[in-house]
Amino acid sequence: MRNFCYFFVVVLSLLILSEAGSSKYITQTRILMGTYVTIICDGSREDINGAFSVIKKVENLMSDQLPGSEIYLLNQKGEGEVSNWTAEVIKKAVEFSQITGGAFDISVGPLVDLWRNAELRGRVPFSKELERARSLVGYRNIAVENGRVKLKNEGMRLDLGGIAKGYAVDKAIGVLKRRGVKNALVNAGGDLFCLGEGPHGKWRVGIQHPREEGKIVGIIKISNKAVATSGDYRRYYVIEGRRHGHIINPFTGWTIQGNPMSVTIIAPDTTTADALATGIFVLGPDKGMKIINELPDVEAMIIGEGMSIFTSPGWRNYY
Ligand code: AMP
Ligand code: MG
């Protein structure tokens, strides 16, 4: 989870902030989980602090880059005890692997490391390197039982970057609700949940144009639902002058750039929206929409090659 391009988030924040300007709503942004996290709510500073603390807690448990985190230790040792939260996220991740036929797979760790190093070295990986890293990827080799996780093959590594931000948003919304907050928006780098309403009715969320900074392709109106976007323009590796999006196709080992350009998911919770945005991004519009259309209460907008826009039938209910 590293910092590259946050324009999408900035645009979203601006749009939302302009709504929140005049009223009892308060807002705060902090950098957490490698991105900007903005919370707007009609509660108090203490409510916002409580919500941020829980996001920090998720980061401390689940970042694969943070020495001492549960995922860091699990990746080092190949097995170990984890908290209920980490076990829950890993279980859910495996469910989304099953739903997406392996397109979403948190065991992409070795491939993510390979591409990270490729950026540092300034050359794309050799096919042998890709093959080796790819052979370690496989959600079926993750076992979770009674708070213990085992990675069945040596060298396997988990990367929760495609789901943990969504989970953190859900936890933050849980804290706000328990504290009695009725209206709030928690946005972690484009993975967000809209609780209740904004100052002027439903929360309005802008979908960023994937190629023109500051331009929005549409605005959706959301209440008590999550929205998450995965895009090749938000975070990427630059290798030999070319961009390589941060999402990796586990079947080929290659990064995905240009097709699709972005996937936005509306779902009942942010964990679902986050994981599906990443997984459907790998599958693309044809296979991706087939899966979306079979899932209850989930809608998608996919922006493909040449700005072709695909939306699921229920998407129009959010305009
Ligand atoms: P997101 O920003 O939610 O789309 O997730 C992108 C992040 O998820 C990447 O930066 C990686 O850490 C991780 N990732 C990359 N490819 C995959 C994949 N195919 N399945 C699950 N996680 C992935
Ligand atoms: Mg995601």
Side-chain angles (χ1 to χ4, degrees):
M1 290 182 245
R2 283 191 294 170
N3 311 10
F4 282 107
C5 177
Y6 297 112
F7 208 83
F8 176 78
V9 191
V10 175
V11 168
L12 271 180
S13 310
L14 288 181
L15 188 75
I16 294 157
L17 284 181
S18 63
E19 279 205 275
S22 58
S23 59
K24 57 188 177 170
Y25 285 73
I26 53 171
T27 176
Q28 205 184 109
T29 298
R30 294 188 195 169
I31 295 178
L32 285 165
M33 305 187 87
T35 192
Y36 289 101
V37 181
T38 297
I39 300 179
I40 305 170
C41 75
D42 63 354
S44 66
R45 289 277 155 213
E46 289 72 44
D47 296 329
I48 287 197
N49 285 340
F52 275 123
S53 319
V54 89
I55 294 174
K56 182 75 197 153
K57 183 172 162 189
V58 172
E59 178 174 25
N60 287 342
L61 289 172
M62 300 181 203
S63 164
D64 59 308
Q65 301 293 303
L66 205 67
S69 80
E70 289 187 342
I71 294 297
Y72 185 93
L73 294 175
L74 180 65
N75 285 345
Q76 276 197 330
K77 296 183 186 153
E79 61 184 304
E81 303 263 329
V82 295
S83 58
N84 290 344
W85 289 15
T86 303
E88 186 185 4
V89 174
I90 295 175
K91 275 189 198 152
K92 286 195 175 188
V94 170
E95 279 170 33
F96 288 110
S97 295
Q98 287 158 350
I99 289 171
T100 59
F104 180 82
D105 193 330
I106 54 168
S107 68
V108 288
L111 283 167
V112 173
D113 285 349
L114 187 63
W115 282 97
R116 231 177 239 151
N117 289 334
E119 183 175 51
L120 295 174
R121 282 195 303 232
R123 65 156 177 83
V124 296
F126 295 132
S127 46
K128 263 193 176 167
E129 295 171 319
L130 279 169
E131 213 29 64
R132 205 194 113 61
R134 213 169 59 83
S135 72
L136 295 169
V137 179
Y139 68 90
R140 289 188 183 85
N141 294 322
I142 306 170
V144 201
E145 222 174 321
N146 302 327
R148 266 197 90 72
V149 183
K150 188 170 164 54
L151 308 178
K152 291 187 192 159
N153 285 345
E154 199 167 330
M156 278 180 80
R157 282 196 299 282
L158 303 188
D159 177 333
L160 304 192
I163 188 168
K165 286 196 295 293
Y167 186 77
V169 169
D170 287 336
K171 285 287 173 199
I173 288 288
V175 166
L176 293 171
K177 273 185 178 170
R178 277 198 299 282
R179 295 181 64 99
V181 174
K182 296 279 181 284
N183 302 294
L185 185 143
V186 179
N187 177 10
D191 297 335
L192 58 94
F193 192 93
C194 300
L195 178 69
E197 298 200 328
H200 309 294
K202 286 185 176 176
W203 293 99
R204 291 184 295 151
V205 176
I207 314 290
Q208 163 72 41
H209 190 296
R211 291 294 179 270
E212 292 181 41
E213 285 191 0
K215 192 168 163 188
I216 280 171
V217 296
I219 293 177
I220 46 177
K221 295 189 185 129
I222 302 288
S223 180
N224 299 321
K225 288 246 152 79
V227 183
T229 298
S230 285
D232 64 359
Y233 57 95
R234 290 176 54 209
R235 289 184 301 154
Y236 44 83
Y237 310 104
V238 181
I239 305 169
E240 294 166 328
R242 280 193 56 201
R243 277 191 190 189
H244 291 263
H246 254 226
I247 297 174
I248 296 170
N249 182 333
F251 309 116
T252 64
W254 277 82
T255 59
I256 302 162
Q257 184 65 43
N259 189 23
M261 296 194 252
S262 81
V263 172
T264 300
I265 303 286
I266 303 172
D269 64 88
T270 329
T271 311
T272 300
D274 188 6
L276 285 177
T278 309
I280 299 300
F281 191 91
V282 171
L283 292 171
D286 293 348
K287 289 184 190 160
M289 275 306 179
K290 280 200 188 104
I291 289 175
I292 295 298
N293 290 338
E294 281 175 13
L295 293 172
D297 299 325
V298 175
E299 305 299 339
M301 174 190 263
I302 304 178
I303 305 183
E305 230 170 1
M307 282 303 291
S308 43
I309 296 183
F310 305 82
T311 52
S312 57
W315 183 273
R316 61 174 173 269
N317 300 334
Y318 293 91
Y319 280 129

